[in-house]
Amino acid sequence: AQSVTQPDIHITVSEGASLELRCNYSYGATPYLFWYVQSPGQGLQLLLKYFSGDTLVQGIKGFEAEFKRSQSSFNLRKPSVHWSDAAEYFCAVGAQQAGTALIFGKGTTLSVSS
Amino acid sequence: DAGITQSPRHKVTETGTPVTLRCHQTENHRYMYWYRQDPGHGLRLIHYSYGVKDTDKGEVSDGYSVSRSKTEDFLLTLESATSSQTSVYFCAISVDTAYEQYFGPGTRLTVT
């Protein structure tokens, strides 16, 4: 079955500390992978995406993610967290075909402490 | 900005009443999607569309129907709303030559 697992429901990080959010997927074909961020009361914003090529991808707001095929993982990282990064983060996977719906993880809520 | 609007943004309705949510896009993208978001469940696909009058069911389609008579509009209808359909509903689009999806601002629906 196709699925996305985000093992951490809630993470608290001190401002200025590094961040890693975990994402593991189960997908029959070669997937496309995404990270989205959702601030309270807002829609989802695309942070970054992986289709092929370099397994380390850069996104907006200083985020990056690394695709590890052997571990079926696509973890999101940021070297120094800012208070404005507090939000909910979703990992998603899709097929390499236009128009395919995405499968989302259940999300990780990030809190930033001062 | 992908030019996606949703209406209404908030709605409270009673059990058993019909409800229609509208998603409107300004850029004539082919693919459109309806998701619902519930705590602890992430986003789950309700229905999607790959063109005018071309729609298909998603993971949680029971109790929902959709219509797409124009490229720019994708309507989600709850024929007879139930309390289990209290949720936040998101519309999304994807462009023909790419695979990421862009989301609207959402509609918060409460069924009492």
Side-chain angles (χ1 to χ4, degrees):
Chain A
Q2 301 168 351
S3 65
V4 176
T5 301
Q6 294 180 243
D8 304 304
I9 297 174
H10 190 186
I11 284 181
T12 299
V13 175
S14 298
E15 190 169 16
S18 64
L19 169 70
E20 183 171 31
L21 301 182
R22 296 182 290 163
C23 173
N24 294 96
Y25 66 90
S26 173
Y27 206 74
T30 303
Y32 287 158
L33 294 156
F34 309 87
W35 275 99
Y36 286 85
V37 60
Q38 183 182 31
S39 297
Q42 304 295 314
L44 280 74
Q45 181 183 21
L46 180 66
L47 276 178
L48 47 76
K49 59 190 178 185
Y50 173 77
F51 292 161
S52 64
D54 191 347
T55 57
L56 184 64
V57 293
Q58 303 297 319
I60 62 172
K61 305 185 180 188
F63 285 92
E64 67 179 25
E66 185 172 14
F67 172 58
K68 293 186 177 180
R69 184 185 301 275
S70 62
Q71 299 177 19
S72 296
S73 69
F74 188 55
N75 294 348
L76 181 71
R77 301 195 293 249
K78 187 171 185 178
S80 178
V81 168
H82 187 262
W83 64 267
S84 61
D85 294 324
E88 190 162 19
Y89 292 80
F90 293 94
C91 180
V93 63
Q96 293 190 7
Q97 180 178 348
T100 304
L102 300 180
I103 298 171
F104 284 84
K106 295 182 179 181
T108 297
T109 299
L110 172 66
S111 297
V112 180
S113 61
S114 57
Chain B
D1 184 1
I4 306 168
T5 57
Q6 293 185 231
S7 58
R9 294 293 314 279
H10 301 272
K11 185 171 183 65
V12 179
T13 192
E14 293 184 349
T15 299
T17 60
V19 177
T20 296
L21 309 182
R22 179 180 183 239
C23 176
H24 178 78
Q25 57 148 327
T26 59
E27 301 183 8
N28 292 320
H29 295 302
R30 177 181 176 186
Y31 302 101
M32 299 184 76
Y33 312 82
W34 277 108
Y35 293 88
R36 61 178 289 174
Q37 182 180 30
D38 304 289
H41 289 277
L43 278 82
R44 294 178 291 174
L45 181 69
I46 306 172
H47 282 279
Y48 64 100
S49 171
Y50 42 97
V52 172
K53 298 186 179 179
D54 289 325
T55 64
D56 208 344
K57 297 179 180 180
E59 175 189 358
V60 291
S61 60
D62 287 349
Y64 301 94
S65 62
V66 291
S67 65
R68 193 170 178 198
S69 58
K70 298 185 293 184
T71 300
E72 59 265 36
D73 289 326
F74 191 31
L75 304 181
L76 176 71
T77 297
L78 290 65
E79 302 290 348
S80 178
T82 67
S83 58
S84 64
Q85 294 176 312
T86 292
S87 186
V88 181
Y89 291 87
F90 286 100
C91 173
I93 62 96
S94 61
V95 305
D96 292 2
T97 56
Y99 307 95
E100 64 265 33
Q101 295 182 11
Y102 298 93
F103 286 80
T107 294
R108 182 174 296 276
L109 176 67
T110 303
V111 183
T112 61

